[in-house]
Amino acid sequence: MAGPDLTMPRGFIPSAQALFALLALLVAAAPRAAQHTRDGFSFDTGPTPAYVAAVEVPKQATLPREGSGAVYSWLNETQQDFRNGGERLYRRLVNEPLTREGLEQVAQPQIVFDPSYQRLTIHQLAVERDGKLADRFDPERVTLARRELDADRRGIHTGLVTALVVIDDVRIGDRVHFAYSVDGVHPVLGELAGEDYALALPVAQQLRYLRLLADGDHPLRLQPAPVYA
């Protein structure tokens, strides 16, 4: 979303009242960090982390959207920072619903995290329609619920929490922009913890972007995961 036009004519000297109004406009336009609590769990809102490199969302589809499934993925972005003994994960998704089924998926994104050592921050939730991007994020529309195992395990708590985000007024053909990060190092596994990165999805992907950061003396070990039929 474009910011306010703050240019002034040459030779213009603003009054104290105008300067105060300008300062208030700048503060309102800047991203604000805040914490929100739901049923004993919490999540944050804030700007994109500093370690994240800018990635441009594709403007043209080079893959056919017809017959590609319920959702067309314009951007599936993952950036993860393992430096300085930390573990910071940034995810950004730009999805376009093509069917009613896809509409339900895109309009209710979910994030799973472990609140015992991870912090969830939501950075962006916006809907692009007719080339215009509109902010749709309402913290009150986010619910946090503890996840349970299947019925065979008699509903034993896993410790994981699901954040469900509900977006109002999403239509087929919109592009939904959703960005968040999950930060935290596993208290037991630490640097031995592994991550899985799915490079292929059951929907058409225009751009899959993966960027990993690590210290020089702690290189990452990458290996392909087995594929099961």
Side-chain angles (χ1 to χ4, degrees), residues 14 18 20 27 57 61 64 70 88 95 99 111 114 122-123 129 145 162 173 175 181 199 223-224:
F20 180 81
V27 172
V57 181
R88 293 166 285 273
N95 292 324
T99 66
I111 311 164
D114 190 332
I122 297 177
H123 306 294
R129 181 179 300 162
T162 297
R175 298 207 302 183
S181 60
L199 301 182
Q223 63 181 25

Side-chain angles (χ1 to χ4, degrees), residues 100-122:
R100 288 188 177 275
E101 178 186 356
L103 194 61
E104 294 179 0
Q105 297 175 17
V106 172
Q108 298 185 21
Q110 299 184 32
I111 311 164
V112 179
F113 68 104
D114 190 332
S116 67
Y117 71 95
Q118 291 180 321
R119 185 179 76 253
L120 167 65
T121 304
I122 297 177

Side-chain angles (χ1 to χ4, degrees), residues 177-196:
H177 297 240
F178 182 45
Y180 66 91
S181 60
V182 177
D183 301 345
V185 179
H186 196 284
V188 177
L189 297 178
E191 296 182 358
L192 298 179
E195 293 286 345
D196 294 329

